[in-house]
Amino acid sequence: MGRVPGYAIGADVELPAVGLGTYPMRDEQATTAVRDALGLGYQLIDTAAAYGNEEAVGRGIAAAGRARADVFVTTKLRGRDHGYQQTLAAFEASRLALGLDFLDLYLIHWPLPRIDRYVQSWRAMVTLRSDGLVRSIGVSNFTVAQLDRLIEETGETPAVNQIELHPYFPQEQLRAAHAVRGIRTESWSPLARSAALLREPVVVAAARRHGVEPAQVVLRWHVQLGTVPIPKSSSPQRQAANLDLFGFELDRAEMAALSGLARGRQGGDPDVHEEF
Ligand SMILES: NC(=O)c1ccc[n+]([C@@H]2O[C@H](COP(=O)([O-])OP(=O)(O)OC[C@H]3O[C@@H](n4cnc5c(N)ncnc54)[C@H](OP(=O)(O)O)[C@@H]3O)[C@@H](O)[C@H]2O)c1
């Protein structure tokens, strides 16, 4: 099985260029999807404590039987566990639920600025990495101001910021800020949850030209931006298509046409969104 291309996000840590999202799958559906995806050649699996599926995802990882070095597991700290000690305990609960000795990437799921404990959580994540329990650490849904506060107060730059990103919300400014700071961008809802985006005439036309599916055009747009999409699919056929992104290339006009679909975010605004 060939390796998925990837990006160095630290010494000896490579983030695969595409992964599988697991929300909102649970129980047997999550186990089967993760097992199937790893069997197809996926390496990056994205979960979160808040998804309530870490045990099911862990069973899928075990069932796939891949070498540990070929699997890259991300999970996330949920809102109720912000704080230094809380983060250490929450990480341990996630690690045990996933059934792994160590994790590959741990993210603060949302910044929750009103609660104002994300800096303490970040310090705990630095400790977890020093202790060898997680290979790399990052954040999700952080604004530039929140990223800079972490960096200024701790001297530690997140390896990754996982943000809402798709052609309807291309996040040009935040991506540029990441590039300057050496932060890799991961794209959540990379297909904008599918339906409308995949029927856009510019997407459909590009798919016809390249002989691929509309979803592959959108995911290839992410790859060419250098962002890491984590599409969720429970179907092995769609999972296979979503991984098959490296045999064609969008030209400049196609890239621009997709970025030209920009209209705004679909999910929460990091400055005010709260989930615990
Ligand atoms: N950090 C955060 O705050 C945050 C927030 C939201 C999501 N996420 C992560 O990002 C992942 C992906 O985001 P998402 O699930 O919101 O949206 P998404 O991946 O953009 O879209 C998922 C939808 O697209 C469909 N789909 C997948 N592949 C397809 C294909 N090749 N052709 C047609 N339809 C296809 C799926 O249906 P089928 O399953 O039927 O294929 C599903 O309905 C989540 O699973 C989660 O891991 C993170």
Side-chain angles (χ1 to χ4, degrees):
M1 199 175 291
R3 281 189 81 81
V4 177
Y7 302 101
I9 56 165
D12 292 332
V13 184
E14 188 173 281
L15 177 68
V18 54
L20 179 79
T22 64
Y23 178 81
M25 297 184 286
R26 296 182 89 139
D27 305 320
E28 193 52 40
Q29 190 189 39
T31 300
T32 303
V34 168
R35 187 202 60 204
D36 288 349
L38 291 170
L40 286 166
Y42 278 76
Q43 294 181 230
L44 168 60
I45 303 292
D46 184 87
T47 181
Y51 301 167
N53 66 9
E54 288 175 315
E55 285 189 12
V57 166
R59 283 195 291 275
I61 294 168
R66 298 278 302 266
R68 181 65 185 86
D70 291 339
V71 183
F72 188 106
V73 183
T74 305
T75 195
K76 312 185 193 85
L77 176 77
R78 68 169 124 195
R80 75 178 69 150
D81 294 321
H82 279 212
Y84 188 87
Q85 291 300 338
Q86 296 92 321
T87 298
L88 297 181
F91 175 86
E92 189 59 6
S94 286
R95 188 183 70 76
L96 292 175
L98 283 157
L100 297 170
D101 293 336
F102 64 89
L103 300 188
D104 298 281
L105 177 62
Y106 197 37
L107 306 177
I108 301 176
H109 204 149
W110 287 91
L112 305 178
R114 187 179 63 86
I115 306 301
D116 195 21
R117 285 202 294 268
Y118 64 78
V119 178
Q120 289 99 307
S121 288
W122 185 240
R123 291 189 198 283
M125 290 167 76
V126 173
T127 301
L128 290 165
R129 192 191 53 198
S130 304
D131 290 349
L133 291 165
V134 63
R135 296 169 68 221
S136 54
I137 54 177
V139 295
S140 179
N141 300 303
F142 272 49
T143 63
V144 177
Q146 292 157 351
L147 291 168
D148 283 343
R149 183 168 166 217
L150 283 188
I151 296 165
E152 278 159 25
E153 292 195 22
T154 71
E156 288 281 346
T157 302
V160 165
N161 190 14
Q162 182 183 114
I163 57 173
E164 180 180 354
L165 203 169
H166 41 73
Y168 288 149
F169 194 47
Q171 296 261 34
E172 208 163 314
Q173 288 176 355
L174 189 47
R175 282 191 287 109
H178 289 169
V180 169
R181 291 161 181 75
I183 297 169
R184 180 61 52 183
T185 307
E186 279 192 335
S187 309
W188 64 254
S189 290
L191 301 171
R193 301 206 159 132
S194 154
L197 177 60
L198 302 186
R199 288 196 299 267
E200 290 286 350
V202 295
V203 174
V204 173
R208 277 210 200 96
R209 273 194 297 275
H210 293 281
V212 298
E213 293 178 17
Q216 291 174 291
V217 168
V218 174
L219 296 171
R220 179 70 201 181
W221 173 86
H222 290 272
V223 168
Q224 288 183 216
L225 291 180
T227 70
V228 173
I230 46 166
K232 171 267 172 184
S233 182
S234 53
S235 138
Q237 289 74 27
R238 288 190 287 278
Q239 287 180 1
N242 295 349
L243 187 61
D244 185 10
L245 307 176
F246 304 98
F248 68 103
E249 190 163 348
L250 303 177
D251 65 23
R252 285 165 70 105
E254 290 167 330
M255 287 295 290
L258 262 73
S259 299
L261 296 172
R263 55 166 84 149
R265 66 168 86 247
Q266 298 184 341
D269 176 347
D271 277 322
V272 292
H273 180 81
E274 296 195 342
E275 59 178 53
F276 297 94

